[in-house]
């Protein structure tokens, strides 16, 4: 599960940098932009079953707006 979260975190950060670039931030800001993917719920607690869903929370910088999604 950790490798999947790391993969999703990479996708999230690629998207964030793309949005920052489109907004017009300078290259240093774009390169340092980050978000985080957090696992929570039954899987994070270790009490999931094969039919459990996966609860993830994506946290992005505040300068990304709802329209950017």
């Amino acid at each position: 599960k950790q490798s999947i979260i790391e993969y999703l975190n990479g996708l999230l950060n690629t998207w964030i940098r793309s949005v920052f670039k489109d907004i017009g931030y300078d290259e240093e800001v774009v390169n340092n932009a980050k978000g985080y993917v957090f696992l929570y719920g039954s899987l994070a607690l270790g009490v999931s079953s094969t039919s459990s869903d996966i609860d993830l929370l994506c946290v992005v910088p505040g300068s990304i707006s709802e329209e950017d999604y």
Side-chain angles (χ1 to χ4, degrees):
K1 70 182 172 184
Q2 188 61 36
S3 63
I4 292 171
I5 294 171
E6 289 170 4
Y7 173 75
L8 292 173
N9 203 37
L11 284 178
L12 177 67
N13 285 315
T14 298
W15 175 74
I16 289 169
R17 290 182 184 114
S18 173
V19 171
F20 270 40
K21 194 171 190 176
D22 290 346
I23 290 172
Y25 285 114
D26 65 48
E27 200 64 30
E28 183 179 354
V29 173
V30 170
N31 291 335
N32 290 320
K34 285 187 186 179
Y36 299 94
V37 175
F38 294 100
L39 177 68
Y40 68 99
S42 60
L43 189 60
L45 295 172
V47 294
S48 62
S49 68
T50 56
S51 63
S52 295
D53 63 348
I54 299 174
D55 300 304
L56 297 172
L57 172 68
C58 296
V59 178
V60 299
S63 55
I64 292 184
S65 69
E66 186 176 327
E67 290 80 27
D68 294 317
Y69 290 91

